[in-house]
Amino acid sequence: MDSSRPFLRRAPARMISLMLSVALILGLFVPLFAHPKPTSAASSAADKAYGWLTAQMKPSGLVESFENGGSAANLCVVYDQAVAAEAFVLMGDLDRARTVFATLANLQAPDGGWYNIYACDNRSVVEWHRDVGPAVWVALAVAQYEIATGDTVTFHDMALRALNYAFG
């Protein structure tokens, strides 16, 4: 097996468990996105949320997590990047989703994780703590992107490394 993927090398039973977990997650969440067109009020709310997200997108390729400045100004939380990328996918804005994913790929640590918070302007680390949850959310967002686009190559390794980090 490929030695660059320690999780895959460790235990075939663990891999089967992971694949079943991912299949279950996708089986639960994918149908949520296949519903008929939302009502006009729901569309309006989605459009407003999408407008807010696009306004929060920074030249660095990250989406600012908070508005109105103050002590939370210039903070880009990794979990929020995953949610924003998935929202962009759901709204059909694949260019912005790809930008967020590409930026996350550049920030990903060799072990597959990310620091929790980066500065939006220069991508420097703001919070040096790293959690498993954001890595899993990024992997889920990549899975949604792959389902929507059929592109199972561009960000797939990033998602696998994130899952290796989460389960390692």
Side-chain angles (χ1 to χ4, degrees), residues 53-119:
L53 281 174
T54 59
Q56 295 296 106
M57 188 89 180
K58 302 301 173 195
S60 65
L62 296 172
V63 177
E64 189 167 8
S65 295
F66 306 97
E67 63 183 330
N68 299 329
S71 61
N74 196 37
L75 298 180
C76 289
V77 178
V78 171
Y79 164 80
D80 297 342
Q81 304 314 300
V83 172
E86 188 159 356
F88 290 142
V89 168
L90 291 173
M91 296 300 288
D93 190 346
L94 300 178
D95 287 339
R96 280 192 177 90
R98 280 189 288 269
T99 297
V100 172
F101 287 139
T103 303
L104 288 173
N106 287 326
L107 293 171
Q108 191 174 33
D111 67 359
W114 288 270
Y115 293 103
N116 286 345
I117 304 172
Y118 295 88

Side-chain angles (χ1 to χ4, degrees), residues 26-50:
L26 291 176
L28 292 174
F29 288 107
V30 171
L32 295 176
F33 305 113
H35 288 289
K37 268 220 172 281
T39 64
S40 139
S43 285
S44 176
D47 290 342
K48 285 180 184 176
Y50 171 72

